Amino acid sequence: MRAVVCEGAGGIEVLRIGEIPDPQPAVDEVVIDVVAAGVNRADLMQRQGFYPPPPGAPGTIGLEVSGRISAVGAEVEGWSVGDECCALLAGGGYAEKVAVPAPQVMPVPDGLDLVSAAALPEVVATVWSNIFMTAHLKAGETLLVHGGSSGIGSMAIQLGVAHGARVLTTVGSKEKMEFCTRLGADVAINYKEAEWASVVQEATKNAGADVILDIMGAKYLTDNVKSIAYDGRLVVIGMQGGAKGELDLGRLMSRRGSIIATGLRFRSVENKGQILAEVVGHVWPLIAAKKVRPIVHTTFPLAEVAEAHRTLEQSTQLGKVLLTL
């Protein structure tokens, strides 16, 4: 089958289309004929050699797909050949076919096209597991989302609003501010033009944010702790701004704050299955009711994977970038 393969680690020049063996399903897996695959920042890191797949996972890049089931393992129940689906992967998405453990496969939400469904698994699993299962965001609380115009950010804004939270977000341009406001954010802050932590304090009357979803890591650690509310929860899911920072424990303790660092890719199949079961139960009805939607910025054919990666590196997208097959 066709797949994206990397000739070593490095820039987009290492990406090329090659031929690799078709996957065969284990007894607890299905094989999906891929229609579309999501492009994530983790994919860029893997291409650069900084984020290898877990043991046993395919070496091919790609953490989420949509498509149709073409083979079903002997012990799999509830799925049949021909079923349309989307799936969360540990790797292997940039290919014509991928084998996936059955608990990591989800139906396509009612009313959503199959290509757009590829924009959901990684994004919704990340947002739901961190903001709701881990940080327990409640109606009436304030949610601060960094990088609100990204795939994760745009979904976090929508789900926060849908659950009755007040949402603040940081972005890097006026266009992105307007985009996030249209999604329901109460306050959008251009971090290039304003001290975002000061704006958060002003917007919350010095109360701070109850939940902060952070993709930056070290660069934002000090200001995140300054911005946390009493009993607030800072959830760090990325390190775009570095891995090591100075922590003001006095400020954190005075606010009774919590800092939680999480990841999705290296969780067990069972744990991923639990997350996705909650996603289907809680988020899919919101998508069917058109209260929440995946935001697809653009699609590229598989052969233009380098352009897809370049788009993400330039951070010009509003929402998700997809590959189509």
Side-chain angles (χ1 to χ4, degrees):
M1 67 175 179
R2 287 188 311 141
V4 175
V5 296
C6 292
E7 296 179 325
I12 58 173
E13 70 279 355
V14 305
L15 298 167
R16 68 173 182 84
I17 304 298
E19 294 283 335
I20 63 174
D22 287 10
Q24 301 299 318
V27 294
D28 59 347
E29 293 180 331
V30 302
V31 172
I32 299 172
D33 286 350
V34 177
V35 169
V39 180
N40 295 282
R41 288 201 173 272
D43 302 346
L44 276 58
M45 293 175 61
Q46 182 171 336
R47 184 202 75 213
Q48 293 162 352
F50 300 133
Y51 194 36
T60 311
I61 297 173
L63 297 176
E64 57 188 344
V65 299
S66 61
R68 298 178 180 88
I69 292 177
S70 60
V72 178
E75 296 179 4
V76 173
E77 298 179 355
W79 292 106
S80 301
V81 171
D83 287 348
E84 294 188 343
C85 63
C86 56
L88 180 70
L89 316 175
Y94 291 13
E96 291 182 317
K97 298 174 181 286
V98 65
V100 193
Q104 294 173 209
V105 182
M106 299 177 288
V108 175
D110 291 341
L112 191 67
D113 66 278
L114 189 54
V115 170
S116 297
L120 288 173
E122 176 76 11
V123 160
V124 183
T126 296
V127 172
W128 187 262
S129 64
N130 285 292
I131 293 179
F132 297 95
M133 296 176 72
T134 298
H136 304 291
L137 180 72
K138 298 185 287 291
E141 290 190 319
T142 296
L143 168 66
L144 171 60
V145 178
H146 291 302
S149 62
S150 67
I152 286 174
S154 60
M155 183 57 65
I157 290 170
Q158 293 181 83
L159 285 176
V161 171
H163 285 83
R166 184 180 186 221
V167 181
L168 286 63
T169 187
T170 62
V171 291
S173 71
K174 182 179 180 181
E175 179 188 17
K176 291 179 178 180
M177 291 172 67
E178 294 170 350
F179 169 75
C180 292
T181 301
R182 290 196 300 272
L183 290 179
D186 296 273
V187 179
I189 308 161
N190 186 345
Y191 64 81
K192 294 180 180 178
E193 296 183 350
E195 270 190 14
W196 64 261
S198 298
V199 178
V200 169
Q201 290 303 310
E202 180 181 353
T204 61
K205 299 181 180 178
N206 295 316
D210 299 287
V211 175
I212 302 174
L213 186 67
D214 178 53
I215 58 173
M216 295 303 294
K219 184 177 180 180
Y220 277 11
L221 180 59
T222 297
D223 282 340
N224 276 332
V225 173
K226 288 180 182 177
S227 302
I228 205 166
Y230 286 106
D231 298 311
R233 293 84 76 196
L234 166 60
V235 187
V236 181
I237 61 169
M239 296 181 292
Q240 293 180 35
K244 295 182 179 180
E246 187 170 304
L247 175 61
D248 185 345
L249 284 172
R251 170 70 180 182
L252 189 66
M253 292 175 69
S254 72
R255 288 280 171 161
R256 302 186 300 273
S258 304
I259 299 177
I260 307 151
T262 76
L264 185 61
R265 190 178 192 183
F266 286 80
R267 292 174 186 255
S268 67
V269 171
E270 180 183 17
N271 191 197
K272 290 176 182 176
Q274 292 168 346
I275 293 168
L276 297 183
E278 288 212 14
V279 163
V280 172
H282 294 281
V283 182
W284 267 213
L286 295 174
I287 296 174
K290 301 189 183 307
K291 294 180 179 179
V292 170
R293 60 189 174 96
I295 311 293
V296 178
H297 175 75
T298 190
T299 64
F300 293 93
L302 188 69
E304 296 179 16
V305 61
E307 288 302 313
H309 275 221
R310 181 181 284 114
T311 299
L312 226 62
E313 287 177 338
Q314 293 172 341
S315 293
T316 55
Q317 82 281 1
L318 301 174
K320 289 284 291 188
V321 173
L322 302 179
L323 296 171
T324 56
L325 287 89

